[in-house]
Amino acid sequence: MRINDGILGTMTKLFLAHILALPVVAGDLPPVDVFFGTENGGNVFPGAARPFGMARMGVDMVDTKEGSVYSGYAPDGNVAGISMMHESGTGGAPEYGVVAQLPLTKDEDYSKTVSVGRAKADAAEVGNYTVFLSNGVIANFAAAERSGIVEYSFPENASAKVMVNVSHHLRADSRPYWTQNFVEGSANVSSELNAYTGHSTIEGGWANQSPWTIYFCSKFDTPADSVSSYENGNVKNATFVTSNNKSENIGLVFSFPSGTSKLRSKMGISHISTDQACSNIASEINDFDLATVISDAQTAWENEVFSKVTISDSNSTLLQLAYNALYGSHLLPSNKTGENPNWKSSEPYYDDFFTIWDTFRCLNPLLNILNPTRGAEIIRSLTDTYKHVGFTPDGRSANQNGKTQGGSDSDIIFADAFVKDIGGGINWDESYAAMVKNAEVEPPYRLDTFVPGSITNQGRQGISQYKKIGYLSRDYTRSVSKTVEFAYDDFALSVVAKGLHKDDDHEKYLNRSSYWKNLWNKDASSKSCNYTGFLQPRHNNGSWATDKYDPLSCEGCYWANDEYEGRPVEYGWAVPHDIAGLLDLIGDNQTFITRLDDMFGLKGHSYADIGNEPSFLTPYLYNYVNAQSKTVETIRYIINHSYSTGASGLPGNSDAGAMQAYLFFALVGFYPVTGTTTYLISSPFVSNVTFNLDNGAKVSITTSNLSSDSFYVQSVQLNGKDWNKNWFSHDDLFSHGGTLHFNLGTSPVQWDTGVEPPSPGHQN
Ligand SMILES: *[C@@H]1O[C@H](CO)[C@@H](O)[C@H](O)[C@H]1NC(C)=O
Ligand SMILES: *[C@@H]1O[C@H](CO)[C@@H](O)[C@H](O)[C@H]1NC(C)=O
Ligand SMILES: *[C@@H]1O[C@H](CO)[C@@H](O)[C@H](O)[C@H]1NC(C)=O
Ligand SMILES: *[C@@H]1O[C@H](CO)[C@@H](O)[C@H](O)[C@H]1NC(C)=O
Ligand SMILES: *[C@@H]1O[C@H](CO)[C@@H](O)[C@H](O)[C@H]1NC(C)=O
Ligand SMILES: *[C@@H]1O[C@H](CO)[C@@H](O)[C@H](O)[C@H]1NC(C)=O
Ligand SMILES: *[C@@H]1O[C@H](CO)[C@@H](O)[C@H](O)[C@H]1NC(C)=O
Ligand SMILES: *[C@@H]1O[C@H](CO)[C@@H](O)[C@H](O)[C@H]1NC(C)=O
Ligand SMILES: *[C@@H]1O[C@H](CO)[C@@H](O)[C@H](O)[C@H]1NC(C)=O
Ligand SMILES: *[C@@H]1O[C@H](CO)[C@@H](O)[C@H](O)[C@H]1NC(C)=O
Ligand SMILES: *[C@@H]1O[C@H](CO)[C@@H](O)[C@H](O)[C@H]1NC(C)=O
Ligand SMILES: *[C@@H]1O[C@H](CO)[C@@H](O)[C@H](O)[C@H]1NC(C)=O
């Protein structure tokens, strides 16, 4: 079901359950629409999944209007399979869509892609997905961590068949150079004709992955009457099929006894072996009990995610938006602990960072508040990846580090976890060593011929030059955006170095954290602006690069340009550690405000793209000149104009949940300055929020006088005391619990008279 009709009843039950510490039972789910952000380029995965589960089970659509499907799902087109692995909210080119079944009612031409239309729209709620096929079959499925179960209901008197396409995977037909391809595979049926095992090896995808393998194991609750295999449409009576020919298309077709109306199948996956795929089923799914797998998934969501935040408001649209945001920010990365085919380790193993460049700004900080256990496992896994691969990734999927868009931004989530002291057994000496490697060692060169300029899968390409001359010159692609990120990454090192009492390193990296200023040209101008001073690319001899330079343009903002997915005017703000330094360069508070006013469309100009991450923090920066009411106005404007409930509710790609985390923070009224302990205060959209944190702390955020036109902060009380700063620190609320109360009104007042937010990277 898309919309929970008993919202208020459910909320009351949830609220009581939390207050009385009653066990939470499935069915008490908050109002989540799993289709939120699936359309309009959001690419969110709506299928059956657990928080961070390796199995994300969903439909794979072909013949859709949009062409490539990134999460497998599209509202239109035909179903080519129900498969076990997907990403959520990614771009570039699709990954996964592997280990599939497709229920059929007749034999087909297996020489080409077999697919079936829908009879009506899919129905889904958290942990429970149903697709209604035009051949009359209804498939209801649910996922555990590394396995899933599907129940097919066949129409009366129809033949009951299941196709297992061993070659199945998502494709990027519009970007054939990045599409995934089948490499080789096999499948073998048990002698009772009620089970099969096999593997499929795939290559390609967004990061040009080298061949990687997924093993599968599947069981039916009813033995088949007969099984055939196909190899490029050539059908044989056989229970085994194999191919190592990349152009081949192989699979099995199971035919069940006539009269079969319900058929259940369990599917297990593993990167290690078919045996492990089978044992993943055995340890996760009892009998063929779909209802229990559904309720276990819902309980997992409740325990790990929804029970952490109780939101109340009389506006059901806002409630749904907030819970949608919470849901969508807990899908990726994937916990593949025990499923790492590349090295043996006792450390946690996470894959599907797609990408840290997107998530470091607010998704990882959200986990560090709500879910420090995950936060710490992620840090440990990134550290272990450094130990065995040589570098932490920026993007990683299919067990391989992928393209790096900017800096080594894992450094920033490390610093965030460090300053928030999230616990969880992180070995900080090793994690810091990973950060130093990023900051000091040139990563190996790896050319992606289809995006000249994308030439490394990890670390900081160009670091040697940056260290030598204090910036990345136009010798390198994305030199402006990378210099800015390298400086922020260096700040992250300085923070951890300080905490580990490495004083020389602290000084060194703090000094480097101001290198972004070396690309600030105080004379750079644009005819559209009355102010001067912008980031500008530079040659390696120190002179400014002027060819094709305009602070309001990025010439495509892609791999081979000076800035990646943002213009110079946007990246100028992207120095969260040193806003005081930026204010010095800009000159005065009023110009700082005028420039911010030009960013988001409130005053006509709209130089920032809020559908992308580089400008995430920017609307909150008014707080640094104690103009908090403008932060409130701008965030109100952005959320009201760019986000809504429904499948098209996100302003573009979810980016692995980054957009949802952004929305969540906006709705609850504060935003993290990642890598520091500071949170900037805005103004909540929902009247009450309670965080029930893992450390036992309870944090309540309450409001008075909130309405759709009464949202300007009049005064704030933090932990019961009047508070005149427009920011607070992690310790103020999240270490031991606390309260934050907002008195709201219809017009702005200057309530934030206290000291402005810190700029810990500031140096004169
Ligand atoms: C199996 O999947 C591959 C890759 O998606 C596709 O090319 C092929 O046509 C499919 N085969 C069938 C019989 O659907
Ligand atoms: C199924 O077959 C039985 C026996 O032939 C017949 O009585 C019944 O009408 C059929 N049902 C449908 C829906 O075709
Ligand atoms: C297929 O599985 C059967 C057991 O069901 C086994 O005896 C046979 O060796 C397997 N064949 C291959 C090629 O793996
Ligand atoms: C192969 O075909 C024969 C005769 O058509 C049938 O009896 C047998 O069940 C089939 N075997 C399999 C494994 O499908
Ligand atoms: C691979 O399969 C294609 C398509 O069936 C065929 O044309 C080709 O000859 C095969 N190559 C080999 C080496 O078998
Ligand atoms: C799963 O969803 C389907 C379709 O909406 C519904 O009929 C079924 O009752 C749900 N299953 C559970 C266990 O809630
Ligand atoms: C918000 O919380 C306060 C204090 O717990 C409570 O009195 C009030 O009823 C709550 N408001 C809503 C809308 O739930
Ligand atoms: C509920 O919130 C939505 C989203 O902010 C808003 O559009 C709508 O007007 C609100 N409804 C009421 C009754 O206030
Ligand atoms: C991640 O997976 C491992 C192996 O299944 C499990 O032990 C661990 O608890 C999982 N992590 C979390 C936070 O659930
Ligand atoms: C950083 O170090 C360099 C070289 O020692 C020095 O010239 C510069 O002034 C330092 N910068 C800051 C901001 O301390
Ligand atoms: C620049 O300043 C002038 C004079 O104040 C004003 O008329 C004009 O609109 C400003 N232009 C922009 C782009 O803000
Ligand atoms: C600029 O804003 C800051 C923060 O409110 C304030 O401390 C400072 O005095 C202001 N500067 C001027 C010149 O008004």
Side-chain angles (χ1 to χ4, degrees):
M1 100 196 99
R2 283 196 172 202
I3 300 199
N4 186 327
D5 41 22
I7 288 162
L8 290 175
T10 302
M11 292 315 304
T12 312
K13 267 194 284 171
L14 251 184
F15 190 62
L16 284 177
H18 295 146
I19 291 206
L20 305 172
L22 297 174
V24 178
V25 293
D28 281 352
L29 286 171
V32 173
D33 173 9
V34 296
F35 293 97
F36 176 64
T38 52
E39 296 179 35
N40 191 31
N43 296 338
V44 171
F45 172 73
R50 296 211 182 174
F52 310 101
M54 172 173 163
R56 275 184 284 270
M57 197 173 174
V59 291
D60 292 336
M61 308 306 297
V62 292
D63 313 321
T64 65
K65 279 197 306 282
E66 297 231 348
S68 295
V69 288
Y70 290 84
S71 70
Y73 174 84
D76 64 324
N78 300 309
V79 181
I82 295 167
S83 78
M84 295 298 295
M85 293 178 79
H86 296 93
E87 305 274 12
S88 181
T90 59
E95 304 273 356
Y96 298 142
V98 290
V99 185
Q101 290 186 353
L102 183 67
L104 300 173
T105 51
K106 58 181 174 57
D107 280 317
E108 302 279 351
D109 172 3
Y110 302 108
S111 67
K112 52 189 187 13
T113 302
V114 175
S115 65
V116 186
R118 285 184 175 107
K120 60 175 179 167
D122 303 353
E125 60 186 338
V126 173
N128 180 15
Y129 200 96
T130 305
V131 56
F132 305 87
L133 297 170
S134 59
N135 61 10
V137 183
I138 299 170
N140 181 194
F141 53 86
E145 292 285 331
R146 287 121 201 231
S147 64
I149 177 168
V150 55
E151 178 180 286
Y152 301 113
S153 306
F154 286 91
E156 209 179 323
N157 297 349
S159 307
K161 293 177 183 293
V162 172
M163 176 181 89
V164 175
N165 181 359
V166 174
S167 314
H168 183 85
H169 57 264
L170 296 179
R171 305 187 53 82
D173 290 332
S174 57
R175 289 176 162 174
Y177 41 86
W178 282 345
T179 192
Q180 297 187 113
N181 289 299
F182 171 72
V183 177
E184 52 106 7
S186 69
N188 184 18
V189 181
S190 69
S191 48
E192 298 83 5
L193 306 191
N194 64 347
Y196 61 92
T197 56
H199 77 280
S200 176
T201 300
I202 303 288
E203 66 179 6
W206 182 63
N208 283 339
Q209 266 82 358
S210 305
W212 57 275
T213 297
I214 188 75
Y215 297 90
F216 50 85
C217 172
S218 197
K219 297 176 197 295
F220 293 103
D221 68 346
T222 306
D225 267 352
S226 66
V227 177
S228 49
S229 74
Y230 64 82
E231 199 169 336
N232 288 338
N234 186 3
V235 181
K236 281 195 284 206
N237 179 328
T239 56
F240 181 76
V241 65
T242 185
S243 172
N244 59 8
N245 178 339
K246 290 186 184 189
S247 4
E248 285 204 329
N249 154 32
I250 58 165
L252 299 168
V253 181
F254 289 79
S255 300
F256 294 91
S258 67
T260 300
S261 65
K262 292 260 188 239
L263 174 72
R264 296 177 191 87
S265 179
K266 299 189 274 198
M267 296 192 256
I269 51 174
S270 171
H271 286 300
I272 306 295
S273 65
T274 54
D275 283 352
Q276 189 153 323
C278 296
S279 63
N280 283 341
I281 300 182
S283 62
E284 295 182 347
I285 304 182
N286 247 328
D287 301 325
F288 284 88
D289 188 354
L290 171 66
T292 301
V293 178
I294 293 172
S295 67
D296 285 355
Q298 293 177 342
T299 303
W301 277 98
E302 193 49 54
N303 289 345
E304 180 161 351
V305 182
F306 301 131
S307 65
K308 306 281 178 65
V309 188
T310 308
I311 307 169
S312 16
D313 197 279
S314 55
N315 183 328
S316 58
T317 306
L318 279 173
L319 272 187
Q320 195 188 83
L321 208 51
Y323 280 108
N324 287 348
L326 206 52
Y327 178 79
S329 39
H330 290 79
L331 288 165
L332 259 56
S334 311
N335 182 2
K336 291 187 180 178
T337 305
E339 290 292 342
N340 180 354
N342 296 330
W343 66 85
K344 292 237 177 310
S345 167
S346 53
E347 286 298 284
Y349 177 61
Y350 281 71
D351 193 19
D352 304 320
F353 295 95
F354 204 164
T355 59
I356 289 174
W357 185 87
D358 292 300
T359 63
F360 82 84
R361 294 174 174 84
C362 62
L363 193 150
N364 297 96
L366 179 63
L367 298 184
N368 288 343
I369 299 172
L370 296 183
N371 207 334
T373 308
R374 287 291 176 191
E377 287 193 357
I378 287 170
I379 300 289
R380 287 171 60 176
S381 161
L382 290 169
T383 303
D384 205 45
T385 302
Y386 145 75
K387 280 173 67 182
H388 292 89
V389 173
F391 286 92
T392 59
D394 179 48
R396 182 177 175 87
S397 213
N399 304 311
Q400 297 169 43
N401 285 359
K403 293 191 180 85
T404 299
Q405 296 167 99
S408 50
D409 298 329
S410 58
D411 298 337
I412 300 167
I413 60 179
F414 280 36
D416 200 67
F418 187 84
V419 297
K420 292 170 188 174
D421 196 11
I422 64 169
I426 299 167
N427 179 333
W428 279 108
D429 287 327
E430 286 183 353
S431 296
Y432 182 68
M435 299 172 79
V436 170
K437 180 89 179 274
N438 286 331
E440 298 296 339
V441 180
E442 193 72 39
Y445 181 86
R446 184 186 196 260
L447 178 64
D448 182 335
T449 45
F450 298 103
V451 279
S454 167
I455 51 183
T456 179
N457 274 1
Q458 51 240 325
R460 303 193 212 169
Q461 185 237 341
I463 188 66
S464 322
Q465 185 184 61
Y466 170 91
K467 286 198 292 186
K468 199 157 132 208
I469 66 174
Y471 60 92
L472 217 55
S473 78
R474 232 191 200 181
D475 297 352
Y476 293 90
T477 58
R478 294 161 284 144
S479 64
V480 172
S481 48
K482 283 166 71 177
T483 296
V484 169
E485 285 183 27
F486 286 12
Y488 189 10
D489 298 338
D490 283 335
F491 168 73
L493 271 98
S494 79
V495 165
V496 178
K498 184 172 185 187
L500 296 178
H501 308 295
K502 298 177 191 295
D503 295 340
D504 291 349
D505 276 17
H506 167 68
E507 293 275 313
K508 169 182 175 181
Y509 292 118
L510 188 62
N511 179 305
R512 275 171 47 170
S513 80
S514 63
Y515 280 9
W516 64 274
K517 291 181 181 171
N518 294 330
L519 291 189
W520 185 272
N521 179 359
K522 67 178 177 29
D523 298 320
S525 64
S526 161
K527 56 183 177 317
S528 310
C529 303
N530 281 344
Y531 37 82
T532 57
F534 293 97
L535 292 173
Q536 185 168 343
R538 252 172 129 161
H539 297 299
N540 60 24
N541 65 6
S543 63
W544 295 108
T546 53
D547 176 43
K548 291 194 185 160
Y549 171 69
D550 174 349
L552 301 189
S553 162
C554 57
E555 296 280 326
C557 293
Y558 210 39
W559 296 97
N561 300 112
D562 293 322
E563 298 84 24
Y564 184 79
E565 296 194 8
R567 314 168 191 200
V569 66
E570 288 182 85
Y571 271 103
W573 302 106
V575 287
H577 58 295
D578 192 10
I579 299 301
L582 178 64
L583 189 51
D584 289 346
L585 293 175
I586 284 177
D588 63 277
N589 293 359
Q590 189 47 53
T591 309
F592 187 88
I593 290 173
T594 305
R595 283 173 171 253
L596 283 174
D597 286 347
D598 278 349
M599 296 304 291
F600 294 101
L602 258 143
K603 299 272 151 64
H605 297 297
S606 182
Y607 297 148
D609 172 11
I610 199 58
N612 218 330
E613 283 75 10
S615 292
F616 264 15
L617 178 69
T618 309
Y620 291 92
L621 294 180
Y622 292 105
N623 285 28
Y624 286 83
V625 290
N626 286 11
Q628 197 267 354
S629 64
K630 296 198 126 226
T631 292
V632 171
E633 279 173 1
T634 311
I635 294 295
R636 255 4 192 220
Y637 178 85
I638 289 169
I639 299 303
N640 292 336
H641 282 77
S642 303
Y643 291 84
S644 62
T645 50
S648 300
L650 287 178
N653 207 320
S654 139
D655 289 324
M659 290 287 155
Q660 287 96 322
Y662 192 73
L663 172 62
F664 181 80
F665 278 119
L667 294 177
V668 299
F670 64 91
Y671 190 80
V673 183
T674 313
T676 79
T677 55
T678 301
Y679 297 92
L680 303 175
I681 293 174
S682 54
S683 165
F685 286 66
V686 290
S687 47
N688 274 7
V689 185
T690 306
F691 295 100
N692 309 293
L693 302 182
D694 286 0
N695 59 5
K698 229 177 181 36
V699 178
S700 314
I701 300 181
T702 52
T703 57
S704 348
N705 285 327
L706 169 64
S707 74
S708 54
D709 49 53
S710 172
F711 52 77
Y712 287 104
V713 179
Q714 311 293 299
S715 66
V716 163
Q717 282 87 43
L718 188 122
N719 294 330
K721 297 207 181 79
D722 287 338
W723 188 257
N724 63 5
K725 294 187 284 189
N726 57 33
W727 58 280
F728 59 86
S729 77
H730 193 74
D731 269 353
D732 289 331
L733 283 185
F734 298 117
S735 301
H736 313 285
T739 60
L740 179 62
H741 183 74
F742 289 85
N743 296 300
L744 303 167
T746 53
S747 45
V749 299
Q750 176 81 47
W751 68 275
D752 51 332
T753 51
V755 62
E756 65 275 12
S759 288
H762 189 49
Q763 301 154 80
N764 290 313

